[in-house]
Amino acid sequence: MYQAVKMLAFRRGFATAVTLSLAFEAVLGRNSNVSSNTAFATSRIDFAAIELDSIKNPPVAVSDRSSEDSWWHGFDGIPFLLSRRSKRKLGKKAITTNEAALATRQLDALDMEQQMHRSLAFGDYVDPTFNCPATTTCPLVCVNSTDDCPVDATCASANSAVADHEFELCNDGTCADKTLGQACDAELESPCSCGGLGVTCAKQIDFYDNCFVRFQNFYDENTECIENEEENLPQVDFNGVAFKACYIPLIIITVLAFLWCAYNQRIAPVVGSITVLECAIKGKENEKWSQTGYKRTIVGAILHALIIIVQLTFQGLLLFLTIQYYVQQEAGPALENLRVIFHDEIQVLMAFQIVWMTGFVWCFLLKYPSSIRSLFLRRCLPSDATYVAVSAPVQTVDTLYEKKCIVKFLGFLLDGFYGFMDFIYSIKSEDADTGLRYKTTYCKVRIDEKTGSRYFYFRMRRYIYDDTESKFVPGRLNVAEDSTIEHWLSKDHMQHGLSSQEATRRLGVVGPNVLDLKKPTILGSIVREFSKPFYLYQNFMVWTWAPYWYYYMAIVQTVVRVTGGMVVVIFQYMSDMNLYQLMVVDGTAEVVRDGELMTVDQTDVVPGDIVRVTPGLAYFDMAILKSERVLVDESALTGEVHPVAKIPLDPANSMLVYNSKTCKSSTISAGTTVLESAGGDGYDVLAIVTQTGSFTAKGELLSDVLSYERHQFKFDTEVKLVLFILLVEMAILVSVVLHFIEDHWVYAWFYAAFVAGTCLPPLLPTVFVVSVGISCKRLQAQRITCTDSTGILVAGKVKKAFFDKTGTLTEQGLSFVSARTSNELGKSAMIAHGEADIDPILQLGLSVCHTLTTNASGDLIGPAVDRMGFSALSSARMVDDHSVMLGDETIKYLKRFEFDHHSMTQSVIIQRGDEAVVFVKGSPEAISKLCAPSSLPSDFADHARYCAKNGIYQLAIARSTYTGSKELNEVQRSDIEVDLTFTGCINFQNTMKHETPAVISELREGNVESAILTGDNVLTGIYIAKKSGIIEPNKNVIIGATVSCDDVIEWVNASDDSEAGDPLVSIPENTVLAMTGEVWNHLLRYDPKSAIALGNQTFVFGRCTPNDKVSVVSTFVKYGDITLMCGDGGNDCGALKAAHVGIALSDAEASVVAPFTSLDKTITSVTEVLKEGRCALASAFASYKYMIMYGQVESINQVVNAYFSISFSEWCWVFMDGIWPITMAFSLPLSKAAKALSPKRPTASIIGPHTLSSACGVLAINFLFLVIGLAFLWNQDWFQCRMWDSNDVSNVNTIGDNYETAVIFVITGYQYISSAAAYNFGYTYRASWFKNYIFVFFFLVWTAVQFSATMTANKFSCIWRLNCTNDNATRFVVYPDPQPIFNNFNTTLMPTSFRGILVALMVGNLVLVCAWEYFVVNRLLPKVNNQVVGMKNSQQATEKFEFNEGVESSMIS
């Protein structure tokens, strides 16, 4: 055994054969005497002499393909090896043999009845003994006439026992006993393929090798006849007119196309056609964009049309040549009337391959430009442009990954590729100065019907042509630039509005009030998906299966690829529709134009229009000019839970220019919903439109979503390397296959193409999309909406979670506890005796210092802290938006200022008697700075810290009397928030949500660090952090409290306010940090590295403004941490967008403030998103590994098939390339998420140790079992005379019925199932193996099918041509009639014992790959990795310690 395999390895000389040899050596050992009945010589097997009609059996040669005169060349012309099934119609006829003659044969003394059992199907005999040599129906003897048949190949010689009977020789070689009334079927055709030798002699049963002793001369004659016919076939001249008419125009069109590009871009570019384009995307104003004018020309249009025609012609030629192949093969009656152009099979296949290779390269080159049409547009000045090419920089991978060698290597390869493509197309896609790559988008220039202005849209922004600048500029109007708030509030302005002419002009500038996004359609999604380069590659791969009698596989491959693509289309369509729903603009608006109130379509509203505010969805940004009461629901835009009251613009700011941030209380943003709007004294609520379209607040958010470039993961870069590795593997395996196939190179080309097609699995691009889509659906079932599904994968790698405090970790509402005057601060803040315990002056402050209003039902509307404080006074009641009643006293508001996040205050002026009284409320720190020092209690700071430490949310309140000379409508906040008298403190209790500690605990167990970002006192944050478990109770906390005038940070101990050591020098053991937003900004400004170093040890960031929150999150993102932000209000909006994963607690289903929205407003959504993220990432990688494994197993199959010159039967291919991959790959991601977060995060590296050990380990095990299976086969005595011994691969229909194919299919076919079973283990990120019910169902079904087909011998197993005889032969995929077994022994039946071995190998393969994945990859390797990481961390800690010591020593010095 070993010698035979080693001989093959020596003969082949390639790595695959050597690998087989070494594998066999390892499995079987070097003992070549593996069978007592078999002795191996160099290339022959000697059997013991067995008497058979006095003819001694000659030695039978092993298939030694290196010898040109080997005996199997006699098979080259045997009809059943070359005839196409379409040419033969075999009937089931009984044959009669000479029983007397057979009785003399001694075959291992077996029972005669058992010896002579033979299949009656198709007239062929099957030897049931599994002995060597084997008895069979001899290969057919073909002659010119029946008279030429040899004496021992006639019906008489075959039926000597009934010599008195009369027989008729039928066309298929069977004999009809006329004496018994039998007759030949008139429709039977001769299987002999050579026209000169078209008569089939009577079939004979003999030892297989004896057949050649008896009829070798006839076989040689038949072979010579076929060779002569092939030599005399009419040949097509590839240099003929028809062929020149194809490739000469192709060459001309190709040259013209490249010359056009060179002329357009290099030789004769139009001066002034390229200009700078202003970036109108918020936050990217500094990006360098350019615009290039293009227009259509007749020449360009003709070239474009010719290019399209050529592309379609390639597809048409491939179809034509495929049909011609089957016409030449006389495939069936449907093709009988078609003209045969190619009479030689080799020529038609050669023509097919030439067209395929030319079309593949040609079409792929055209996938590099942005679009084919863009190539043939002529450059021109922007004034003449019908298209504008906008070039914008392409974001590359994260900076922390740019220094990796892998990125440099890939960059080197891609730069070479891009440089070559840029050269042939004469384009420039890289900035020589910055090294940034640019993506060019061609935008069609349109003409506004109303104004005649020329414009185009890019990234939802409208750009219009400016005659003065001779280029396109952003179509944006800032109505606040040229006017003040005073002008806006003037009566004349509100009464007259815009003129119709001015409104039309502005409409031409900014365009319709819509977001430029077309409504998604299924057809559009299909076209967009299947236009990607990957599907072009798949298209050409499918074509390789079309001829060569594999057209049924072309259908299967098409179904597989279309199925995968349609899955992606469906998920992408649903995602696009969700986004489109947020952009729909519908209805009408009432605007003031030309002094009249008129109704116009919402899309015709322009900036500067005066509009009447009515309840409903706002489609544009506007500032309120005149109103009594306006309530707005901002949850869809900012996540704010409660309705917000809006007030008119403050006349005190009349000389200022409107700003949406400073005038937030008067701004209604697009995307919000107006709940109530009421004027006074019969007037309407009026507002001025400030922005429309994509420049609105909603448009900015949606523009961010559409132009959002997901943070790069390792796999984003590594997938390019994997592609490169697969391409290299493809090249190697293709070379190996071309070497192995010894038939004509035309046939070898198809084997090589099949290998190339399986190296890059067709379903590979779908795995991540499917996993994300499934997790997105599951989150929606838990009332967690998702507007950006790509965030799910990112959630699987979250390392740091930030939480807002109030309304997120704690309940949304605050519980009023007490109010204390300056003289009562010594009392416990938690002891209260109701309203009677509140000092009257504090009652007055509580009742008036707020921004509350009421809705139509009388419910209080406003911030929670204001509502709870006001509700604590039973004697207080809101009369209207201008007055409040306290007891019997009615107090009138003169002016109110809303809470300001920067000053941390809000204030009010009231009329009480003859005095204008001022009340200011805010944080204790802010109020203390505004009060006269003499009015502050001496222990005020200590009291504030004490309350904060105990979790009391405290507000201070101060008062004064306004004596200024300004009119009240001109008074500003700075005029009254000064020289105040401290009045007292108001104390609230913020109750922890009951689920918060459990969520924080689960995050900690899941190795996710948590931190608080709050605008409250840092001590209050520490209290909540300890109570929730973010900070362990026994931990000491050092607070970065303030920054002194000389820029020195004051660090204090949270426990006793004592001075603490600088954590930049060292952090004591069992100590964590907290800091204020002021300290964080100071660190970030002067020492960013220290900021991130200390930030990792900081668990509470207090007194943070919304910008501070954004700063903290953005810094962690910049330095490589995958972050999550969870918040509930508008002040968290920026941080929610800055984080990798933002989760808004809001009841707005169409929220765009964050990728995820928890409609139940519970932070358990955080763990659910993380669990689904980890599950999706693990599932995606499991499917990815499975698809890679599928491709590798199939590639190995193809190489081994090429080695043996065999192929699988039809149904084998259907299952291996269609049914199994689809069912396994699409059911793998259906596994649900684990119930708890694992301490480890799933890998995001596709070439990391975890992924490589998993994929390579399973692949190695699978290959080992294939080698073992073949080794067992070669070790079988019965197989020694039944080896496949032909290198003719011209007809794949006849080379699949052999034992080599059967073993390869059984072993590797089950590896499609067993590998999926191994990858179904979810480690700790997914539910248990058995919980993936659909996958388990498919696994059990396919396992039962495979085991049953292996162990049984019936029609079921014959579907795959396993254990099959002609008695049980079934139809093929595309043929309605059963087909005979196409091998020399008319059977693929295997001994029961060997079937058991194969089943045992399948079970062993399953157990070993599952054990490898479960115990080694998912358990042992993580432990080893942890130890390695621990050693690295220890070394880094030592280095850090030494560094800190050095710093400390230098400071001491």
Side-chain angles (χ1 to χ4, degrees):
M1 175 66 210
Y2 164 76
Q3 293 176 357
V5 177
K6 193 161 187 178
M7 175 200 66
L8 293 176
F10 176 80
R11 182 174 68 251
R12 289 295 186 177
F14 255 72
T16 303
V18 174
T19 304
L20 284 168
S21 171
L22 296 176
F24 283 145
E25 178 179 350
V27 175
L28 303 176
R30 286 187 171 272
N31 184 7
S32 62
N33 188 19
V34 294
S35 173
S36 59
N37 299 325
T38 307
F40 282 84
T42 53
S43 64
R44 303 182 68 82
I45 301 175
D46 293 329
F47 294 98
I50 300 177
E51 295 182 4
L52 182 60
D53 290 343
S54 71
I55 297 177
K56 186 176 181 179
N57 297 325
V60 180
V62 175
S63 180
D64 184 358
R65 306 175 196 191
S66 63
S67 174
E68 289 299 323
D69 57 352
S70 297
W71 60 268
W72 71 79
H73 284 292
F75 282 88
D76 290 348
I78 294 177
F80 81 85
L81 284 178
L82 291 179
S83 296
R84 301 300 186 258
R85 288 180 306 217
S86 59
K87 289 186 178 182
R88 57 188 299 205
K89 183 177 181 181
L90 301 178
K92 293 186 177 182
K93 297 290 292 184
I95 63 172
T96 306
T97 59
N98 189 335
E99 300 292 344
L102 291 175
T104 63
R105 304 182 183 186
Q106 301 175 9
L107 300 177
D108 293 343
L110 292 178
D111 179 77
M112 183 61 63
E113 182 178 355
Q114 181 182 357
Q115 296 172 26
M116 295 299 103
H117 168 77
R118 56 191 176 277
S119 170
L120 300 180
F122 303 103
D124 294 326
Y125 175 80
V126 175
D127 187 342
T129 63
F130 294 108
N131 288 332
C132 282
T135 309
T136 185
T137 299
C138 289
L140 299 176
V141 176
C142 299
V143 295
N144 187 41
S145 66
T146 55
D147 296 335
D148 296 333
C149 288
V151 177
D152 54 349
T154 62
C155 290
S157 64
N159 300 275
S160 57
V162 284
D164 55 334
H165 287 211
E166 182 182 357
F167 294 91
E168 178 186 359
L169 178 63
C170 301
N171 290 338
D172 64 345
T174 58
C175 296
D177 192 337
K178 299 177 67 175
T179 304
L180 298 179
Q182 297 177 354
C184 293
D185 187 345
E187 296 183 2
L188 290 177
E189 298 177 4
S190 172
C192 291
S193 60
C194 186
L197 301 174
V199 176
T200 306
C201 295
K203 293 183 177 181
Q204 301 296 310
I205 298 176
D206 203 339
F207 289 127
Y208 179 66
D209 47 334
N210 277 356
C211 296
F212 293 89
V213 175
R214 297 168 60 185
F215 308 120
Q216 185 67 57
N217 293 335
F218 293 92
Y219 296 154
D220 293 341
E221 184 180 355
N222 190 46
T223 301
E224 184 180 354
C225 176
I226 292 177
E227 290 176 352
N228 291 334
E229 280 194 348
E230 291 176 350
E231 290 177 359
N232 295 324
L233 286 175
Q235 298 293 306
V236 174
D237 184 8
F238 283 96
N239 292 319
V241 176
F243 289 93
K244 288 181 179 179
C246 292
Y247 56 74
I248 290 179
L250 175 64
I251 294 173
I252 293 174
I253 292 172
T254 303
V255 171
L256 287 176
F258 290 139
L259 287 177
W260 168 271
C261 294
Y263 172 79
N264 199 23
Q265 304 294 343
R266 293 179 181 175
I267 300 174
V270 177
V271 178
S273 59
I274 301 179
T275 56
V276 175
L277 180 66
E278 179 186 347
C279 177
I281 304 297
K282 187 176 181 181
K284 298 184 178 181
E285 292 84 354
N286 295 327
E287 284 191 1
K288 184 180 177 182
W289 290 9
S290 67
Q291 56 179 313
T292 307
Y294 286 91
K295 64 180 179 180
R296 300 188 67 179
T297 61
I298 296 177
V299 175
I302 293 174
L303 280 175
H304 177 224
L306 290 175
I307 292 292
I308 298 298
I309 291 172
V310 170
Q311 286 185 311
L312 296 176
T313 301
F314 276 121
Q315 302 296 314
L317 283 175
L318 290 174
L319 177 60
F320 169 76
L321 291 171
T322 299
I323 295 174
Q324 272 297 308
Y325 172 80
Y326 291 105
V327 170
Q328 187 274 335
Q329 295 287 294
E330 301 177 17
L335 304 176
E336 288 179 352
N337 297 325
L338 296 181
R339 179 189 172 191
V340 179
I341 297 177
F342 294 88
H343 295 272
D344 187 354
E345 176 186 23
I346 298 294
Q347 281 203 315
V348 67
L349 291 178
M350 191 183 300
F352 178 90
Q353 292 163 6
I354 293 172
V355 172
W356 188 96
M357 290 184 288
T358 306
F360 183 85
V361 174
W362 205 83
C363 293
F364 252 96
L365 286 177
L366 290 173
K367 277 295 179 181
Y368 181 77
S370 301
S371 67
I372 298 177
R373 174 182 295 177
S374 64
L375 283 178
F376 303 104
L377 298 173
R378 174 62 177 147
R379 276 175 57 169
C380 64
L381 295 174
S383 58
D384 301 324
T386 56
Y387 289 87
V388 173
V390 179
S391 295
V394 178
Q395 297 297 327
T396 57
V397 297
D398 287 343
T399 54
L400 292 180
Y401 205 60
E402 287 179 352
K403 297 181 180 180
K404 299 292 185 180
C405 294
I406 177 179
V407 176
K408 294 181 179 179
F409 175 69
L410 288 174
F412 172 77
L413 294 177
L414 291 175
D415 287 343
F417 172 75
Y418 292 144
F420 171 75
M421 299 302 291
D422 289 351
F423 172 77
I424 64 174
Y425 284 114
S426 302
I427 59 178
K428 184 180 179 181
S429 61
E430 182 175 332
D431 191 304
D433 298 328
T434 63
L436 290 175
R437 294 206 61 80
Y438 278 74
K439 179 181 178 181
T440 302
T441 304
Y442 287 80
C443 308
K444 186 175 182 179
V445 177
R446 291 175 276 188
I447 299 177
D448 192 294
E449 296 180 355
K450 295 182 179 179
T451 63
S453 60
R454 300 169 61 243
Y455 66 94
F456 68 85
Y457 280 97
F458 177 68
R459 294 187 182 178
M460 294 177 58
R461 295 290 196 253
R462 181 183 174 102
Y463 292 83
I464 62 170
Y465 182 74
D466 190 324
D467 292 319
T468 59
E469 297 191 30
S470 299
K471 66 177 183 179
F472 287 88
V473 297
R476 175 175 52 198
L477 287 175
N478 189 347
V479 294
E481 285 182 346
D482 302 327
S483 59
T484 62
I485 293 178
E486 180 182 25
H487 172 69
W488 283 6
L489 294 177
S490 65
K491 184 177 181 180
D492 181 67
H493 179 256
M494 286 188 283
Q495 285 182 344
H496 289 85
L498 296 176
S499 65
S500 297
Q501 184 179 0
E502 176 63 15
T504 301
R505 185 193 72 81
R506 295 189 179 192
L507 186 63
V509 175
V510 300
N513 179 34
V514 295
L515 299 173
D516 187 60
L517 183 69
K518 293 182 179 179
K519 183 177 181 179
T521 62
I522 286 290
L523 180 60
S525 299
I526 291 173
V527 172
R528 189 165 55 252
E529 178 65 21
F530 285 94
S531 297
K532 295 178 180 177
F534 184 78
Y535 292 99
L536 178 63
Y537 160 78
Q538 296 290 3
N539 168 261
F540 277 92
M541 286 298 105
V542 167
W543 274 117
T544 62
W545 293 92
Y548 200 35
W549 288 93
Y550 270 139
Y551 61 91
Y552 64 92
M553 277 308 300
I555 298 173
V556 172
Q557 295 283 347
T558 301
V559 170
V560 171
R561 286 154 173 78
V562 171
T563 300
M566 288 304 298
V567 169
V568 176
V569 166
I570 291 170
F571 281 117
Q572 189 61 51
Y573 172 75
M574 292 189 296
S575 177
D576 292 343
M577 278 302 297
N578 290 337
L579 195 59
Y580 175 77
Q581 295 297 332
L582 301 175
M583 300 188 176
V584 175
V585 176
D586 189 27
T588 59
E590 293 180 281
V591 302
V592 177
R593 288 183 184 172
D594 298 323
E596 296 181 0
L597 187 65
M598 62 180 64
T599 301
V600 299
D601 194 274
Q602 290 277 9
T603 60
D604 291 333
V605 176
V606 296
D609 263 329
I610 305 298
V611 297
R612 178 172 174 263
V613 180
T614 57
L617 187 63
Y619 292 110
F620 36 77
D621 290 352
M622 48 189 166
I624 300 177
L625 303 178
K626 190 177 183 182
S627 74
E628 181 70 21
R629 180 179 69 249
V630 177
L631 297 181
V632 179
D633 178 6
E634 295 184 337
S635 58
L637 196 65
T638 66
E640 182 63 51
V641 177
H642 299 288
V644 178
K646 298 294 182 179
I647 60 176
L649 289 170
D650 190 351
N653 300 323
S654 59
M655 302 308 296
L656 300 178
V657 175
Y658 168 81
N659 182 283
S660 60
K661 293 183 178 179
T662 57
C663 302
K664 182 180 178 181
S665 60
S666 302
T667 301
I668 300 176
S669 299
T672 61
T673 303
V674 178
L675 301 177
E676 296 181 13
S677 63
D681 300 329
Y683 65 80
D684 295 320
V685 178
L686 299 180
I688 184 171
V689 177
T690 57
Q691 291 292 352
T692 60
S694 63
F695 291 100
T696 62
K698 178 181 178 180
E700 294 283 0
L701 284 173
L702 290 173
S703 178
D704 287 344
V705 172
L706 288 175
S707 61
Y708 170 72
E709 294 167 355
R710 179 173 57 80
H711 299 278
Q712 297 284 317
F713 271 168
K714 286 184 178 181
F715 62 72
D716 292 301
T717 299
E718 292 172 346
V719 71
K720 300 173 185 176
L721 181 61
V722 171
L723 179 62
F724 173 75
I725 293 172
L726 292 177
L727 290 174
V728 172
E729 179 202 26
M730 179 193 301
I732 294 173
L733 294 183
V734 164
S735 301
V736 171
V737 168
L738 292 175
H739 175 77
F740 280 172
I741 297 295
E742 297 183 1
D743 205 343
H744 198 285
W745 67 264
V746 166
Y747 305 120
W749 184 92
F750 281 99
Y751 271 78
F754 300 155
V755 170
T758 54
C759 282
L760 289 178
L763 297 179
L764 195 59
T766 68
V767 294
F768 288 97
V769 176
V770 172
S771 298
V772 166
I774 291 171
S775 290
C776 187
K777 285 293 183 182
R778 286 202 289 254
L779 286 175
Q780 290 176 356
Q782 300 179 62
R783 291 179 54 77
I784 302 173
T785 63
C786 178
T787 56
D788 180 18
S789 57
T790 59
I792 293 178
L793 289 179
V794 184
K797 295 293 290 183
V798 166
K799 181 181 179 182
K800 189 86 173 181
F802 294 100
F803 294 91
D804 178 40
K805 181 181 72 68
T806 306
T808 304
L809 297 175
T810 63
E811 297 290 351
Q812 181 63 41
L814 294 169
S815 302
F816 176 81
V817 177
S818 63
R820 297 283 186 260
T821 63
S822 58
N823 298 325
E824 300 173 330
L825 292 184
K827 293 184 180 180
S828 172
M830 299 301 294
I831 300 176
H833 303 285
E835 186 176 348
D837 192 44
I838 303 176
D839 186 87
I841 193 64
L842 278 179
Q843 289 190 31
L844 178 61
L846 273 174
S847 64
V848 298
C849 193
H850 53 71
T851 55
L852 296 175
T853 185
T854 57
N855 59 15
S857 303
D859 300 323
L860 290 176
I861 302 298
V865 66
D866 288 348
R867 286 186 288 106
M868 299 309 297
F870 188 86
S871 299
L873 304 174
S874 59
S875 58
R877 180 172 62 86
M878 291 291 299
V879 177
D880 51 37
D881 289 347
H882 304 290
S883 59
V884 64
M885 179 170 287
L886 180 63
D888 297 330
E889 181 182 5
T890 300
I891 303 166
K892 184 179 180 181
Y893 293 116
L894 298 179
K895 191 156 192 178
R896 291 198 287 185
F897 294 94
E898 287 201 344
F899 180 78
D900 181 77
H901 286 288
H902 296 283
S903 65
M904 293 289 194
T905 59
Q906 67 179 102
S907 51
V908 63
I909 306 176
I910 61 171
Q911 181 72 50
R912 198 178 190 198
D914 297 331
E915 289 184 327
V917 180
V918 174
F919 279 96
V920 181
K921 183 173 66 177
S923 68
E925 298 92 333
I927 295 298
S928 65
K929 295 177 182 179
L930 302 178
C931 290
S934 59
S935 68
L936 287 171
S938 58
D939 60 346
F940 175 70
D942 295 335
H943 176 75
R945 280 193 291 271
Y946 172 82
C947 290
K949 288 179 184 179
N950 289 275
I952 297 174
Y953 181 83
Q954 189 174 71
L955 293 175
I957 191 166
R959 68 186 189 279
S960 68
T961 301
Y962 177 69
T963 57
S965 59
K966 288 184 178 180
E967 295 292 334
L968 287 175
N969 61 353
E970 299 177 352
V971 173
Q972 299 181 14
R973 182 188 295 267
S974 58
D975 296 328
I976 61 174
E977 294 184 0
V978 63
D979 294 329
L980 302 175
T981 300
F982 180 76
T983 302
C985 292
I986 309 166
N987 303 309
F988 298 88
Q989 183 76 42
N990 199 189
T991 307
M992 179 82 66
K993 288 182 178 180
H994 67 87
E995 70 269 18
T996 296
V999 170
I1000 299 301
S1001 175
E1002 186 172 358
L1003 290 176
R1004 182 184 295 108
E1005 292 174 359
N1007 196 22
V1008 177
E1009 297 177 355
S1010 301
I1012 295 177
L1013 298 177
T1014 179
D1016 294 347
N1017 191 298
V1018 67
L1019 292 170
T1020 306
I1022 293 172
Y1023 173 84
I1024 296 297
K1026 288 194 171 186
K1027 194 172 181 181
S1028 63
I1030 293 177
I1031 299 177
E1032 297 178 21
N1034 60 339
K1035 293 283 187 181
N1036 300 319
V1037 182
I1038 294 178
I1039 303 174
T1042 59
V1043 179
S1044 64
C1045 297
D1046 53 353
D1047 289 336
V1048 176
I1049 299 175
E1050 179 185 349
W1051 297 95
V1052 298
N1053 290 302
S1055 57
D1056 55 7
D1057 297 329
S1058 61
E1059 184 178 350
D1062 190 347
L1064 286 172
V1065 178
S1066 65
I1067 299 177
E1069 188 178 354
N1070 203 38
T1071 301
V1072 298
L1073 302 180
M1075 65 178 69
T1076 62
E1078 178 190 13
V1079 171
W1080 167 259
N1081 287 322
H1082 177 82
L1083 284 171
L1084 197 62
R1085 184 180 303 112
Y1086 295 104
D1087 193 357
K1089 292 185 177 180
S1090 296
I1092 192 63
L1094 295 183
N1096 285 320
Q1097 301 296 322
T1098 304
F1099 291 86
V1100 176
F1101 296 85
R1103 292 302 181 207
C1104 287
T1105 65
N1107 289 337
D1108 292 338
K1109 294 182 179 183
V1110 173
S1111 174
V1112 172
V1113 174
S1114 299
T1115 303
F1116 277 85
V1117 169
K1118 179 180 178 181
Y1119 282 88
D1121 282 343
I1122 307 298
T1123 60
L1124 176 146
M1125 177 66 194
C1126 181
D1128 72 317
N1131 59 342
D1132 302 319
C1133 182
L1136 288 169
K1137 290 173 58 181
H1140 291 90
V1141 179
I1143 303 177
L1145 307 185
S1146 171
D1147 53 6
E1149 294 188 22
S1151 175
V1152 293
V1153 67
F1156 300 95
T1157 301
S1158 172
L1159 301 181
D1160 291 333
K1161 294 177 284 189
T1162 170
I1163 64 168
T1164 55
S1165 302
V1166 172
T1167 55
E1168 294 302 325
V1169 169
L1170 294 188
K1171 284 188 284 190
E1172 283 296 344
R1174 293 186 178 188
C1175 176
L1177 193 56
S1179 295
F1181 270 74
S1183 299
Y1184 165 82
K1185 290 186 292 185
Y1186 176 74
M1187 291 312 304
I1188 291 292
M1189 185 59 53
Y1190 150 70
Q1192 296 305 302
V1193 170
E1194 183 116 330
S1195 297
I1196 292 174
N1197 283 344
Q1198 300 278 15
V1199 172
V1200 175
N1201 283 347
Y1203 180 81
F1204 291 116
S1205 296
I1206 57 177
S1207 183
F1208 296 116
S1209 63
E1210 292 182 350
W1211 279 111
C1212 294
W1213 280 120
V1214 171
F1215 274 79
M1216 295 174 73
D1217 257 5
I1219 297 175
W1220 285 337
I1222 289 179
T1223 54
M1224 295 288 98
F1226 287 155
S1227 61
L1228 262 178
L1230 295 176
S1231 178
K1232 294 183 178 180
K1235 292 184 178 180
L1237 288 174
S1238 166
K1240 297 283 292 181
R1241 287 175 287 275
T1243 181
S1245 173
I1246 56 179
I1247 58 172
H1250 184 276
T1251 307
L1252 283 181
S1253 61
S1254 174
C1256 294
V1258 173
L1259 179 61
I1261 292 170
N1262 287 339
F1263 181 73
L1264 174 64
F1265 273 87
L1266 172 60
V1267 172
I1268 293 174
L1270 291 174
F1272 271 109
L1273 176 64
W1274 253 265
N1275 202 29
Q1276 301 300 306
D1277 296 339
W1278 56 268
F1279 175 70
Q1280 305 308 318
C1281 60
R1282 292 174 172 84
M1283 293 182 181
W1284 184 252
D1285 50 13
S1286 173
N1287 60 3
D1288 181 2
V1289 296
S1290 61
N1291 186 5
V1292 294
N1293 293 327
T1294 63
I1295 60 176
D1297 295 338
N1298 52 76
Y1299 293 105
E1300 293 90 336
T1301 300
V1303 170
I1304 295 171
F1305 172 73
V1306 167
I1307 299 298
T1308 63
Y1310 191 65
Q1311 288 171 356
Y1312 288 68
I1313 303 163
S1314 61
S1315 298
Y1319 293 138
N1320 190 45
F1321 287 109
Y1323 191 31
T1324 51
Y1325 314 119
R1326 301 189 294 165
S1328 66
W1329 194 94
F1330 294 98
K1331 293 294 183 65
N1332 192 350
Y1333 300 115
I1334 296 178
F1335 175 86
V1336 171
F1337 168 77
F1338 282 123
F1339 170 78
L1340 294 176
V1341 168
W1342 300 139
T1343 297
V1345 166
Q1346 191 78 340
F1347 284 14
S1348 176
T1350 304
M1351 288 302 299
T1352 61
N1354 50 36
K1355 288 187 178 295
F1356 179 73
S1357 64
C1358 277
I1359 294 175
W1360 298 274
R1361 314 292 275 186
L1362 290 175
N1363 294 313
C1364 189
T1365 62
N1366 286 331
D1367 283 329
N1368 296 321
T1370 59
R1371 58 165 290 178
F1372 279 5
V1373 177
V1374 292
Y1375 287 91
D1377 300 322
Q1379 300 298 313
I1381 298 297
F1382 289 96
N1383 65 31
N1384 299 326
F1385 305 97
N1386 311 307
T1387 181
T1388 59
L1389 197 66
M1390 296 178 286
T1392 304
S1393 60
F1394 185 69
R1395 301 180 216 169
I1397 292 175
L1398 293 180
V1399 171
L1401 288 176
M1402 285 190 283
V1403 173
N1405 196 348
L1406 171 65
V1407 171
L1408 200 54
V1409 294
C1410 288
W1412 173 265
E1413 189 71 14
Y1414 185 80
F1415 292 106
V1416 178
V1417 175
N1418 289 336
R1419 296 190 179 275
L1420 179 61
L1421 289 181
K1423 292 180 180 179
V1424 174
N1425 183 63
N1426 289 340
Q1427 292 177 356
V1428 174
V1429 172
M1431 293 173 62
K1432 289 183 178 179
N1433 291 340
S1434 177
Q1435 181 180 359
Q1436 293 173 357
T1438 302
E1439 293 173 354
K1440 183 178 180 180
F1441 175 74
E1442 293 173 352
F1443 170 78
N1444 288 337
E1445 279 192 330
V1447 172
E1448 187 173 2
S1449 299
S1450 62
M1451 292 180 67
I1452 292 174
S1453 300

